[in-house]
Amino acid sequence: MSTSATFDPLEFRKALGTFATGVTIITTRADDGTPLGLTVNSFNSVSLDPPLVLWSLANSALSFDAFRKAGHWAVHVLAADQEELSARFARRGEDKFGGLDLEQGIGGVPLLKGCAARFQCRTASQYQGGDHLIFIGEVLAFDRDETAPLVFHGGRYAHATRRDPAGIKPRSAYLAGSFGEDFLGYLLGRSHFRFFAQIRPYLAEAGLSDEEFYVLASLTLKPQMSAEDLAIGMQGVLDEQSQAAVQALVDRGLARIVTPAPSTAGTAYELSDDGRNLALRLIAQAKSVESQVLERLGHADAVVIKSLLNRLLAVIDPQAAVLWGEPPR
Amino acid sequence: MSTSATFDPLEFRKALGTFATGVTIITTRADDGTPLGLTVNSFNSVSLDPPLVLWSLANSALSFDAFRKAGHWAVHVLAADQEELSARFARRGEDKFGGLDLEQGIGGVPLLKGCAARFQCRTASQYQGGDHLIFIGEVLAFDRDETAPLVFHGGRYAHATRRDPAGIKPRSAYLAGSFGEDFLGYLLGRSHFRFFAQIRPYLAEAGLSDEEFYVLASLTLKPQMSAEDLAIGMQGVLDEQSQAAVQALVDRGLARIVTPAPSTAGTAYELSDDGRNLALRLIAQAKSVESQVLERLGHADAVVIKSLLNRLLAVIDPQAAVLWGEPPR
């Protein structure tokens, strides 16, 4: 427990940062017509009747005087895809509005587009709060869009993912908790199998096994891939099956063995034109399956599941870096 | 755009709900010694020097008078696993503190345990804000724990998941964006293969193929499983390989064919004692691998990745319900 006797400002910031918030940009127009805006996460609702919201601004902010004098301002609750906008309005001084498609709001306040919600406010009160001024605004108009929010937590941007309703626990198994919806291996296996079941008809049409498709697609990652890199990249994935798969591709004229350049040791593989065309066609078909699945899952969850699977691979998959041509993580 | 002329309170609430927040419980002690507390998400930081925070309370709240008169109160920022506590303190009237392990804070304020952060405050100011009163507190002491936060967004609880740093895009592939870290099929396939590569040594020791283990473990889900249910449950997963796998288990005495009961049609399978023991041992070993992987991934991400894979399966996997003995979702 830190007390006033031992009050470390950095620790205090960290403690405040445990409270997650959305991210807003607050805009106004200065007396001389200049549009002003800054990124703020101290926003919150106050009252429903009358409709009031609040936020606070550091006394030291460059735009402090302009906001203090402003009769109107607008709060923009940012969407998940507006992180760059958030960063732009968090920087000092820059021409923040350059190139943005603006609307004109009540009192001439510049309004940004593509936000999760916007509140157009009239300054109702201002209260001193230490090194900040608290702005209370009466909401005169608002709009809202169905979109995932940008979130800030622990000093970093975050995603918000809908929680499973409390009480809906994983369905119980006969042998309690043993194998099923709470076991990552089951979830990964079943998701992989079921996802590929939707792609397999296209592979069957092209006469490719799962393994042959996996190797074919992996060969698209580099102009040429040495046999050694392929073997390392497939370690723990297809293992010795990868050799049979690449040989099958060579036999069908989809890939070929490259004569080693003097500077490299050992054999390398590259796709033939036929192989590259087939790979691109199958990948396009697989991408189309993916689009349909992700649309049903929802955009917000789709972004997060990919991000988390990449993070999982960073934990369990040092070999991927070989395929991707980067030093091991 | 809703304007004051067309101000729908429900729509206004929804617009406010686009701003994600953490969840806090604020506690105090009434004049007569009664501990009081309520769930609040209108908390925010105000000032670093002096250290000030704020929150607002509806004039209509049962504990309004007690909080208005209180010289001290404490803000508890809730952790991801405190959703039940949040719900308890959001209900009216109940004995909210019953059975809780409390500490005594400054001014006799009851302090809850297990939170992401706690701020012990002295009432610094109170401001009217429409139908709410805004409390400004000077922070006298605080503490913090490294834990995932409880988040509220769009009227529901949510998880916050750290975002990938902007600018770190998926590593580019030779054939741009074709097959790789942004393709769900690749991520699922590679995660599955790599995860199982860590379990495979245990399977090899037991002389089981991947498919045989998958069927063996699936048979633990029910006391008996009809051949038809097994076939439907394995559709798009192992397909015809499941028949060979279950036969191999029967041949080894790990599973047996059950004489059909008069009420059921067709063959059913059940595990033998040997089969059940082997399944439990392998599942325990697999769980131990899982624990190590999830520990490296981090608890917060682990919870979310499982939740999202379950949601993905709900989209692509109607057959799972057959194995789980529930009606299709």
Side-chain angles (χ1 to χ4, degrees), chain B residues 46-67:
Chain B
V46 178
S47 167
L48 294 175
D49 182 21
L52 303 178
V53 297
L54 67 74
W55 61 288
S56 49
L57 177 62
N59 298 337
S60 61
L62 286 180
S63 51
F64 182 81
D65 280 329
F67 270 104

Side-chain angles (χ1 to χ4, degrees), chain B:
Chain B
M1 176 66 68
S2 299
T3 62
S4 39
T6 61
F7 222 90
D8 176 344
L10 185 65
E11 274 303 309
F12 183 53
R13 270 174 190 275
K14 279 190 187 169
L16 291 172
T18 62
F19 185 78
T21 65
V23 181
T24 72
I25 290 173
I26 303 196
T27 59
T28 192
R29 196 172 291 279
D31 283 347
D32 65 359
T34 314
L36 296 172
L38 35 81
T39 303
V40 163
N41 72 337
S42 62
F43 169 76
N44 224 315
S45 58
V46 178
S47 167
L48 294 175
D49 182 21
L52 303 178
V53 297
L54 67 74
W55 61 288
S56 49
L57 177 62
N59 298 337
S60 61
L62 286 180
S63 51
F64 182 81
D65 280 329
F67 270 104
R68 199 170 47 79
K69 286 188 270 180
H72 292 87
W73 35 266
V75 180
H76 305 75
V77 179
L78 298 190
D81 60 1
Q82 293 182 305
E83 184 177 331
E84 283 179 30
L85 202 63
S86 168
R88 181 203 280 220
F89 278 83
R91 283 190 288 266
R92 277 189 163 234
E94 198 176 323
D95 174 20
K96 296 172 174 179
F97 292 88
L100 294 182
D101 184 16
L102 300 174
E103 293 173 64
Q104 180 101 327
I106 300 169
V109 172
L111 297 181
L112 308 170
K113 293 182 176 178
C115 304
R118 300 187 297 191
F119 300 93
Q120 299 190 55
C121 302
R122 175 188 72 74
T123 304
S125 330
Q126 297 176 346
Y127 297 121
Q128 273 303 332
D131 57 21
H132 280 60
L133 188 65
I134 301 164
F135 290 78
I136 314 269
E138 184 189 355
V139 180
L140 304 177
F142 66 91
D143 55 2
R144 176 177 70 93
D145 203 0
E146 288 289 345
T147 176
L150 188 59
V151 174
F152 200 66
H153 176 258
R156 292 199 282 209
Y157 293 105
H159 294 285
T161 312
R162 177 169 57 83
R163 237 172 132 95
D164 299 321
I168 303 201
K169 304 288 179 205
R171 286 170 277 179
S172 63
Y174 167 54
L175 298 175
S178 49
F179 182 77
E181 291 164 316
D182 192 45
F183 176 51
L184 185 64
Y186 173 83
L187 293 169
L188 289 173
R190 197 151 180 113
S191 300
H192 170 222
F193 284 134
R194 290 291 310 183
F195 186 85
F196 261 86
Q198 301 191 31
I199 294 175
R200 204 162 286 130
Y202 299 111
L203 306 187
E205 213 173 283
L208 289 183
S209 70
D210 289 14
E211 293 78 14
E212 286 158 12
F213 170 65
Y214 198 90
V215 170
L216 180 79
S218 296
L219 288 177
T220 66
L221 299 176
K222 287 182 181 179
Q224 293 189 356
M225 196 170 296
S226 76
E228 197 191 345
D229 279 358
L230 186 67
I232 296 173
M234 292 297 160
Q235 202 176 307
V237 180
L238 300 179
D239 292 316
E240 66 281 1
Q241 294 178 60
S242 65
Q243 188 49 45
V246 75
Q247 191 55 53
L249 298 177
V250 170
D251 291 347
R252 283 186 55 183
L254 298 170
R256 56 178 165 247
I257 297 172
V258 188
T259 315
S263 64
T264 62
T267 320
Y269 299 100
E270 66 179 18
L271 293 174
S272 67
D273 286 348
D274 279 358
R276 181 167 298 112
N277 290 338
L278 178 60
L280 288 181
R281 199 182 77 216
L282 290 173
I283 288 170
Q285 289 165 327
K287 284 263 175 188
S288 149
V289 167
E290 181 197 34
S291 297
Q292 293 166 39
V293 168
L294 293 184
E295 193 175 319
R296 290 166 67 196
L297 184 64
H299 176 71
D301 284 357
V303 170
V304 180
I305 198 172
K306 285 183 180 181
S307 163
L308 287 176
L309 286 169
N310 269 307
R311 241 173 261 172
L312 176 67
L313 283 173
V315 165
I316 62 176
D317 195 11
Q319 270 80 20
V322 172
L323 279 185
W324 288 94
E326 298 199 355
R329 286 177 267 198

Side-chain angles (χ1 to χ4, degrees), chain A residues 39-315:
Chain A
T39 302
V40 162
N41 72 338
S42 62
F43 170 78
N44 225 316
S45 58
V46 178
S47 167
L48 295 174
D49 184 21
L52 302 179
V53 297
L54 67 73
W55 60 288
S56 48
L57 177 62
N59 299 339
S60 61
L62 286 181
S63 51
F64 181 80
D65 281 328
F67 270 105
R68 197 171 48 79
K69 286 189 269 178
H72 293 87
W73 35 267
V75 179
H76 305 76
V77 179
L78 297 190
D81 59 2
Q82 293 183 304
E83 185 178 330
E84 283 180 27
L85 202 63
S86 168
R88 183 204 280 223
F89 278 84
R91 283 191 287 266
R92 277 188 163 233
E94 199 177 322
D95 174 20
K96 297 173 176 178
F97 292 89
L100 294 181
D101 184 16
L102 299 174
E103 291 174 65
Q104 179 99 327
I106 299 170
V109 173
L111 297 181
L112 308 170
K113 293 182 176 178
C115 303
R118 299 186 296 191
F119 301 93
Q120 298 190 55
C121 303
R122 177 186 71 75
T123 304
S125 328
Q126 297 174 349
Y127 297 121
Q128 273 304 332
D131 57 22
H132 280 60
L133 187 65
I134 301 165
F135 289 78
I136 314 268
E138 183 188 355
V139 180
L140 305 177
F142 65 92
D143 55 1
R144 175 176 71 93
D145 201 1
E146 288 289 345
T147 178
L150 188 60
V151 174
F152 201 68
H153 176 260
R156 291 199 283 206
Y157 292 105
H159 295 284
T161 312
R162 177 170 55 83
R163 238 171 130 95
D164 298 321
I168 302 201
K169 303 288 181 205
R171 288 170 275 181
S172 63
Y174 166 54
L175 296 175
S178 49
F179 183 77
E181 292 165 310
D182 193 44
F183 175 52
L184 185 65
Y186 174 82
L187 292 169
L188 289 173
R190 199 153 178 111
S191 301
H192 170 222
F193 286 134
R194 290 291 310 181
F195 186 86
F196 261 86
Q198 299 190 33
I199 294 175
R200 206 163 284 129
Y202 300 111
L203 306 186
E205 213 173 283
L208 290 182
S209 70
D210 290 14
E211 292 78 16
E212 287 158 13
F213 171 64
Y214 199 90
V215 170
L216 181 78
S218 295
L219 288 177
T220 67
L221 299 177
K222 287 184 182 176
Q224 294 189 357
M225 195 170 296
S226 75
E228 196 191 346
D229 279 358
L230 186 67
I232 296 173
M234 291 297 159
Q235 201 176 309
V237 180
L238 300 179
D239 291 317
E240 66 282 359
Q241 293 177 61
S242 66
Q243 187 50 45
V246 74
Q247 190 57 52
L249 297 178
V250 170
D251 291 347
R252 282 187 54 185
L254 298 171
R256 57 177 165 249
I257 297 172
V258 187
T259 315
S263 63
T264 62
T267 319
Y269 299 100
E270 67 179 15
L271 292 175
S272 66
D273 287 348
D274 278 359
R276 180 167 299 112
N277 290 337
L278 178 61
L280 287 180
R281 198 182 78 217
L282 291 172
I283 288 170
Q285 288 165 329
K287 283 263 172 186
S288 150
V289 166
E290 181 197 33
S291 297
Q292 292 165 41
V293 168
L294 293 184
E295 193 175 320
R296 291 165 68 196
L297 184 64
H299 175 70
D301 284 357
V303 170
V304 181
I305 198 173
K306 285 183 180 182
S307 162
L308 288 175
L309 285 169
N310 268 307
R311 241 173 263 170
L312 176 67
L313 282 173
V315 165

